Structures are given as structure tokens and as C-alpha cells.
């Protein structure tokens, strides 16, 4: 990918989380990774500075990954997996098109891995001239069966973008949410309007995810939590929609809405830049 397009993709990705100004070059150097064991056959690979997550289900016929970070993180992901399995990565599921979740695809594919995403996410990758286009799309649901284990993939509606999927590992009672749910300081809810995101529909989409049967939740960014935490997040998305709808109806200024988003929902400069106009427009 040429540099300009790459920077365009990074520009989108930067919006996924709160990024200190000093890290404006995010994606240009490898993140420091750490391995979190969730269960005997299920691991999460965290980043250091910006805690983006790759989830790995280990089977005796190969590994299923959810999200593969930036291309520059590929070798470190593979090295980390080698500490827990000799199996190759058979599939990587991209929860959405952003480069910090799909950037490793091309290198994975070169190693024989098949990439899977929603049809919408693939279309956005095509439009953005991103590398590593998914080999398989699902609409609205699909499943991978490998080594007696299952990864169920669900598109449940719009949220962070219009193409986010969640991945349920039924045997593990665990769900990987991508950026439909980001958890913790520095990872406020970001609505990527240019990527088809919607604050209004977000609550119903999370509600659909909550209907699935699981206990453990892997967020797109942040620490692994329990289903009750996702319920709280669902409530906060509802609160956001209600509060901002009220403010817009009361003809509050753009500055007032911005202040609310910063104070109540942890938005920082680039969240405001990326999503404030879209949010006000959507709540009208
Ligand atoms: Zn994202």
C-alpha cells in the first residue's frame, strides 16, 4: 500500500482509541505485546500503549484468531503464539475494517491463513485500497469449525462501523466484541460515521449480542471482563443517545454537546474531530 493510502487508513484507525499526541505515528513501530491466558485453549494478545486485543482459539488442527493488529505487529504475534502452540493460524476473523484489526491480513495470508470478515467490512477495505482483503465474507452470520471447536460469527447491526462482527466461542462461553465494546481509560466509545457507524443503533446492536450465551467478554481494546460489564456498557450507550438527543432538541450549541461528550463519555480531541458533527446530525 502506498504511504498516502496507508496514512489515510491510520487516520481512521487513530479514532479507535484515545491516542496521546506523541503516538501520532501509531502503526509505524511494533507494539509491545503480552499474552493473557483466558482458558487452556483461549488466549488474548494485548498491546502495551494502546491495549488492542487479538484473541486466539487453539485447536489440534490449527488456530483461529480474531483481529491481527497492524502489519508491523505480525511477526511478534506469530512469535507469541509459538510459545503456546505449534499449530498454524488457519483463520483470522476481522471484527471490522480498521487497520489495527485487519492490518496483519496480508502477512497472515502469505502464511496460508484465510481471512474472514463481514461483507461490509470487505467492501470498505476495497474502497480504502487496503491490503489483505478478506478471503471469505459472512452475511449476516457464519461459523468456523476446526479441531472439534467452533467460532460463531455474527453481524448484529451498526455500531462502531456498519460492518462490525462479534465472535462467539460457545465451548469457551466467551465472546470477542471488537470495537463494538472497548473497555477502560483511554478507550471511549467511538462512532466512525465515515465507516457507517451509528450511536443510535449501537444500543440495539449490543442488545443483540447480549442475547448470545457467554460469560467472558474480550473487548476490542482493554482488559477481559464479564457479561455484566457489557450490560453496563449497553446502558451507557443508551444514556448517550438519550442525553444527546435531549441536548439537540433543546438547541444546545455544538460546544455544549462537545463538553458533554468529553465530560460524560471520555471523548478526546480526535473523537470530537471524527464524530461530533455526525453525532449531532444523527440525533436530530
Ligand atoms: Zn476500530
Amino acid at each position: 500500500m502506498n504511504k498516502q493510502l496507508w496514512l489515510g487508513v491510520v487516520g481512521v484507525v487513530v479514532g479507535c482509541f484515545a491516542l496521546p499526541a506523541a503516538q501520532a505515528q501509531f502503526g509505524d513501530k511494533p507494539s509491545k505485546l503480552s499474552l493473557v491466558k483466558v482458558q487452556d485453549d483461549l488466549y488474548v494478545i494485548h498491546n502495551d500503549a494502546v491495549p488492542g486485543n487479538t484473541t486466539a482459539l487453539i485447536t489440534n488442527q490449527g488456530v483461529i484468531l480474531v483481529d491481527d493488529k497492524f502489519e508491523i505487529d505480525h511477526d511478534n504475534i506469530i512469535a507469541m503464539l509459538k510459545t503456546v502452540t505449534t499449530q498454524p493460524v488457519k483463520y483470522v476473523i476481522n471484527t471490522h475494517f480498521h487497520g489495527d484489526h485487519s492490518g496483519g491480513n496480508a502477512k497472515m495470508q502469505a502464511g496460508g491463513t484465510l481471512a474472514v470478515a463481514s461483507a461490509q467490512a470487505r467492501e470498505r477495505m476495497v474502497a480504502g485500497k487496503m491490503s489483505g482483503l478478506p478471503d471469505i465474507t459472512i452475511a449476516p452470520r457464519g461459523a468456523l469449525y476446526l479441531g472439534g471447536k467452533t467460532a460463531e460469527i455474527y453481524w448484529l447491526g451498526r455500531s462502531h462501523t456498519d460492518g462490525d462482527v462479534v465472535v462467539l466461542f460457545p465451548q469457551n462461553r466467551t465472546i470477542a466484541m471488537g470495537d463494538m465494546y472497548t473497555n477502560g481509560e483511554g478507550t471511549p466509545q467511538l462512532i466512525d460515521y465515515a465507516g457507517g457507524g451509528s450511536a443510535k443503533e449501537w444500543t440495539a446492536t449490543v442488545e443483540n449480542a447480549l442475547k448470545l450465551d457467554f460469560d467472558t467478554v474480550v473487548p476490542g481494546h482493554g482488559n477481559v471482563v464479564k457479561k455484566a460489564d457489557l450490560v453496563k456498557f449497553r446502558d451507557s450507550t443508551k444514556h448517550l443517545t438519550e442525553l444527546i438527543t435531549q441536548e439537540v432538541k433543546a438547541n444546545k450549541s455544538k460546544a455544549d454537546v462537545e463538553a458533554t461528550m468529553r465530560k460524560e463519555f471520555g471523548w478526546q480531541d480526535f473523537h470530537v474531530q471524527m464524530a461530533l458533527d455526525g453525532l449531532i446530525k444523527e440525533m436530530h
Side-chain angles (χ1 to χ4, degrees), residues 66-239:
V66 181
D67 292 334
D68 53 20
K69 307 187 192 288
F70 287 111
E71 185 173 87
I72 204 163
D73 297 311
H74 170 82
D75 294 354
N76 291 340
I77 291 173
I78 297 297
M80 193 148 267
L81 287 172
K82 280 197 174 141
T83 66
V84 290
T85 181
T86 55
Q87 292 291 335
V89 179
K90 282 278 174 71
Y91 300 101
V92 58
I93 303 161
N94 304 131
T95 55
H96 61 297
F97 76 95
H98 288 162
D100 58 334
H101 298 259
S102 66
N105 281 11
K107 282 202 167 175
M108 288 285 176
Q109 288 163 323
T113 304
L114 292 172
V116 184
S118 69
Q120 298 94 319
R122 192 181 192 283
E123 281 164 21
R124 292 198 178 278
M125 289 180 73
V126 170
K129 297 189 167 57
M130 293 169 73
S131 62
L133 295 176
D135 304 285
I136 299 166
T137 60
I138 64 100
R141 62 161 70 179
L144 300 174
Y145 302 93
L146 191 68
K149 298 177 186 177
T150 310
E152 297 176 0
I153 309 163
Y154 295 91
W155 181 87
L156 301 167
R158 291 163 69 205
S159 57
H160 176 60
T161 71
D162 59 2
D164 293 66
V165 294
V166 299
V167 181
L168 178 72
F169 301 107
Q171 288 105 326
N172 304 78
R173 301 188 57 77
T174 297
I175 193 168
M177 293 292 293
D179 289 357
M180 190 189 301
Y181 173 54
T182 52
N183 161 42
E185 290 298 313
T187 58
Q189 181 182 353
L190 177 89
I191 312 129
D192 178 2
Y193 282 104
S198 168
K200 234 179 206 174
E201 293 178 31
W202 200 311
T203 306
T205 304
V206 176
E207 195 66 55
N208 287 335
L210 286 167
K211 287 174 191 157
L212 300 171
D213 197 14
F214 59 90
D215 304 315
T216 303
V217 179
V218 183
H221 299 265
N223 292 330
V224 174
V225 294
K226 293 294 178 191
K227 194 170 193 175
D229 298 285
L230 190 60
V231 171
K232 276 187 209 156
F233 173 72
R234 185 268 324 270
D235 293 344
S236 88
T237 65
K238 195 160 175 252
H239 179 53

